[in-house]
Amino acid sequence: MKWIYIAAGIALYFKMLIMPNPAADLPDFSIVESIVKDGGVPNAVTVIILRNRLYDTIFEVVVFTIAIMGASFLLANERPSCTIYRFTDQPSIVLARLGATIAALVSIELAIRGHLSPGGGFAAGVAGGTAIGLVAITSSAEWMQGIYQRWHAATWEKVSVLVFILLAVITLAGIELPHGEMGALLSGGIVPLLNILVAVKVALGSWAVILIFIRYRGLL
């Protein structure tokens, strides 16, 4: 049996060495230009994620939601940490909050203009979560938890998921908003709205996970 495998390997090697690969007879067009034209926005990656592969993106958002619920469920029976670690020296606090401000501005920029330039909802949500994490390591856990509950962040997170799924289903059904002018802020139909919803979902979900780990682990 071993000699059969060796002979097959040698035959495959000579096939690749001698026989040329047939060239596909494709029409002369750019795949990227075709994707951009279909989506109505310059960012081809955003079009693929939120239009061509929208079915996959729905479940990516759902999986992220389940991961957040799982973290809360698995740590619910543990005893909260007695010691919460955070920055107390003033230079570290100033630098961390400066970084949080920059990350928050980047998050807003990526969420609003992610369909026109490199970026998008997931990147915006990660930047927003980074900003929240930097504030968390310089503030008291009670203050962060109070803000989270005061602004009903958990409710907004769930609402953003439901609205995203609803708009995605409508899009998959073939109903789209007008694309508008290529390169304009209000272009791409429903893509900018999906970008913003993903950003809100990821940022608020990251906030929830940060609070869970601070409470039960004492640090991020």
Side-chain angles (χ1 to χ4, degrees), residues 99-115 117-132 192 195-204 206:
T101 303
I102 296 173
L105 293 176
V106 170
S107 175
I108 296 172
E109 169 72 12
L110 293 177
I112 295 177
R113 296 177 53 85
H115 60 297
S117 60
F122 288 102
V126 171
T130 301
I132 294 171
N195 249 342
I196 294 173
L197 288 171
V198 171
V200 171
K201 162 61 190 168
V202 175
L204 295 182
S206 301

Side-chain angles (χ1 to χ4, degrees), residues 155-165 197 200-201 204:
T155 302
W156 284 110
E157 179 196 349
K158 295 176 177 62
V159 169
S160 64
V161 174
L162 294 176
V163 175
F164 177 87
I165 294 175
L197 288 171
V200 171
K201 162 61 190 168
L204 295 182

